[in-house]
Amino acid sequence: MGATACSSDDEESSSDASYIQLYNASANSTSLSLSLDDYLYTAVEYGNAMPKYAYSTGEFDLEIIGEDEIGDELVSYQGSVDLNNGEHHLFMLIGDYHSPEFIDISYQTTEMDEFNDNEDESYSKMQLLVGHVAMQADSFDVYIGVDGREFIDATLLDNLSYKGSTTGVTLDTGDYLVYLTEPGSLVPVYTTATLSLTSQTVYKLIIRDSFGPGSLKVTIDNVDSTSGADNYANIEANAEFRVFNGLSEHSAVDVKVSNNGSNVEMEDIVLGQSTDFQAVDFDDYGVTITDTESQQLLANNLLVTFNQDESKSMLIYQDAEGQIKGLTQTHDLRPRAYKSEISFANLVDDFDELSLYFVADSETIDSAEYKIDGVELADIAYLTIPLGDYELNVVHEDDNGNLTLLYQSQTLQFDGSQYALALYQDTEQSLGYKVAVIE
């Protein structure tokens, strides 16, 4: 038995081999690993793929392995798979992680390879297939069109419902658009940006669940032979944003976000508080900030970009020179099994680097298993922690090893999929600082 990675332009690395790849399509899953005959590959997060590998032919035991609630290995799927010569397999775990399903999309590249190997003609061909793994979505008609042409010129690939996939189609390499319509309709409800499909390889387009503000609640990943995946949101999808006030010298602020076509105004944002998410068209915007009480202009030249299907926060803070600035953060709002994704933003300029400790009931700072180190002003750091109860401690350590406690919370329950934490100065707190927990 052997496994060899494939590049995007050299997939046939053996005359007697099959080809395997895992894509994680279970939205609330932990990271997932493929195991073939007890050989464990590198784990991949939701919406990502491992590289394609050449593998021996035959029948093999296959497992998809994730993690349970305490971080131990959990076999999410177990079965056997026949790997035949020249076959390519895209394995996917789909659905709810607590009761997932396994899909094996098998395809051949014979036609594409014959074109590209023809020495008498200068063909450059790629292959395309589409899979639908968006658990909550209806069926779609899937079209592909050449970039620069109208939708009316696009080609219908197939109608796809959940767990369905198209057969592979061989096309010229080049730039394309993919459209989704309701079944039988000629009005696109989803259009990608330009896909540069310029390598002689197989592109697998995966329609998966999206948890952004777009109304359709799906997005499309492009999986080639390499690791990861390129995401293509609906170019007409809205964005959403919220604003957090971390200005200790201004108890409340008004914020206006504007471009040539629209304005969004949010008034009386109190220190340490965040607005609700506001829907906005994707675009580049200017941000104006004024003091609510005095109407003093604090900033009028801040720039923020909202891309399609993005959820963002703007954290307003003051830097060491007294300039009012906005720190933007993009959120991943997908559900998660067993864990919370934590983001921690430092809006305090009094210290070089800070550490945030998540202290469980049986722990102290010295023994805490989960912590974030080295967070400077205007940094955002990330950590994934098991669901549970924690006390938050923010600490600064100087060059001599002396520790300063900036903030210590009561015991807090972290039972959601994600939390945004922001440290800001608050003179009403006994230690002068506070961590806001923004769900």
Side-chain angles (χ1 to χ4, degrees):
M1 184 276 290
T4 305
C6 301
S7 69
S8 62
D9 56 0
D10 185 23
E11 296 186 354
E12 304 297 331
S13 62
S14 171
S15 60
D16 187 16
S18 186
Y19 302 88
I20 57 169
Q21 191 172 23
L22 173 68
Y23 173 84
N24 183 348
S26 175
N28 65 332
S29 70
T30 66
S31 59
L32 299 176
S33 300
L34 171 66
S35 174
L36 280 177
D37 267 10
D38 297 323
Y39 183 87
L40 191 65
Y41 291 87
T42 301
V44 291
E45 299 288 340
Y46 174 63
N48 284 274
M50 74 179 207
K52 184 186 290 186
Y53 289 94
Y55 203 87
S56 303
T57 58
E59 183 176 355
F60 300 97
D61 294 327
L62 179 148
E63 293 179 335
I64 307 296
I65 298 175
E67 295 179 4
D68 63 16
E69 63 271 20
I70 61 174
D72 291 340
E73 284 191 356
L74 174 69
V75 178
S76 300
Y77 172 81
Q78 188 174 41
S80 61
V81 61
D82 287 320
L83 301 180
N84 298 315
N85 186 39
E87 282 184 347
H88 296 246
H89 295 262
L90 180 64
F91 304 131
M92 293 190 286
L93 196 75
I94 69 170
D96 184 352
Y97 184 59
H98 300 290
S99 55
E101 297 181 79
F102 175 77
I103 287 181
D104 175 9
I105 297 179
S106 177
Y107 57 95
Q108 299 272 356
T109 63
T110 305
E111 182 182 45
M112 179 186 71
D113 295 335
E114 287 178 349
F115 275 114
N116 292 330
D117 292 342
N118 188 335
E119 297 181 355
D120 297 327
E121 301 287 345
S122 58
Y123 293 117
S124 181
K125 299 289 186 178
M126 58 85 178
Q127 188 170 317
L128 182 79
L129 59 86
V130 184
H132 183 336
V133 296
M135 193 174 174
Q136 305 300 326
D138 295 327
S139 62
F140 299 103
D141 286 348
V142 183
Y143 290 81
I144 186 166
V146 175
D147 186 29
R149 297 183 183 176
E150 299 297 325
F151 168 74
I152 195 65
D153 298 318
T155 299
L156 175 64
L157 295 177
D158 207 343
N159 173 266
L160 288 184
S161 56
Y162 181 54
K163 298 188 283 189
S165 60
T166 68
T167 56
V169 56
T170 300
L171 301 168
D172 291 331
T173 57
D175 293 336
Y176 290 87
L177 300 176
V178 170
Y179 307 90
L180 304 180
T181 74
E182 295 178 353
S185 171
L186 293 178
V187 178
V189 295
Y190 191 112
T191 304
T192 66
T194 301
L195 286 81
S196 183
L197 308 181
T198 56
S199 296
Q200 297 176 0
T201 189
V202 181
Y203 296 99
K204 290 83 67 179
L205 303 184
I206 309 299
I207 305 168
R208 63 167 172 88
D209 292 306
S210 168
F211 302 93
S215 60
L216 205 58
K217 299 304 178 187
V218 300
T219 192
I220 295 178
D221 282 343
N222 179 18
V223 179
D224 57 18
S225 299
T226 60
S227 61
D230 294 323
N231 181 248
Y232 291 85
N234 185 0
I235 62 170
E236 299 300 327
N238 288 337
E240 66 180 5
F241 76 101
R242 61 188 178 187
V243 176
F244 174 81
N245 179 11
L247 297 174
S248 61
E249 297 182 3
H250 302 274
S251 59
V253 296
D254 300 337
V255 175
K256 182 171 75 173
V257 177
S258 59
N259 65 2
N260 291 328
S262 63
N263 294 316
V264 179
E265 297 185 6
M266 292 158 287
E267 298 180 343
D268 198 20
I269 308 170
V270 177
L271 173 65
Q273 298 296 315
S274 170
T275 68
D276 293 331
F277 279 111
Q278 306 286 322
V280 66
D281 292 335
F282 67 90
D283 206 345
D284 301 314
Y285 289 80
V287 179
T288 300
I289 303 170
T290 56
D291 183 278
T292 298
E293 183 175 355
S294 68
Q295 287 300 293
Q296 175 191 359
L297 180 64
L298 304 178
N300 67 350
N301 60 346
L302 303 183
L303 173 67
V304 62
T305 298
F306 301 121
N307 294 311
Q308 292 93 335
D309 210 25
E310 270 190 345
S311 298
K312 276 188 174 180
S313 291
M314 172 177 277
L315 312 175
I316 302 172
Y317 71 100
Q318 184 171 294
D319 67 14
E321 286 73 41
Q323 297 294 311
I324 305 301
K325 295 188 175 181
L327 177 64
T328 56
Q329 175 185 6
T330 303
H331 299 284
D332 175 7
L333 299 179
R334 72 178 179 93
R336 289 172 173 81
Y338 311 132
K339 294 185 178 182
S340 291
E341 183 186 68
I342 305 296
S343 65
F344 175 55
N346 178 14
L347 306 182
V348 172
D349 66 355
D350 300 332
F351 303 91
D352 292 337
E353 294 184 346
L354 299 177
S355 297
L356 172 63
Y357 294 82
F358 294 81
V359 182
D361 288 343
S362 60
E363 296 177 332
T364 65
I365 286 176
D366 287 341
S367 60
E369 182 175 357
Y370 298 98
K371 66 175 181 175
I372 299 172
D373 286 325
V375 187
E376 299 181 346
L377 173 65
D379 277 352
I380 300 177
Y382 294 87
L383 178 69
T384 300
I385 63 173
L387 302 180
D389 297 337
Y390 299 92
E391 177 187 278
L392 304 181
N393 290 265
V394 180
V395 175
H396 174 257
E397 182 176 359
D398 66 19
D399 294 338
N400 297 318
N402 299 313
L403 302 180
T404 301
L405 180 65
L406 280 69
Y407 176 76
Q408 185 176 61
S409 74
Q410 300 294 321
T411 299
L412 303 175
Q413 185 177 46
F414 290 85
D415 57 2
S417 294
Q418 54 274 315
Y419 295 88
L421 310 182
L423 177 73
Y424 64 99
Q425 192 172 32
D426 186 346
T427 56
E428 295 186 2
Q429 298 295 309
S430 59
L431 299 176
Y433 303 92
K434 187 173 182 180
V435 171
V437 181
I438 311 167
E439 297 187 40

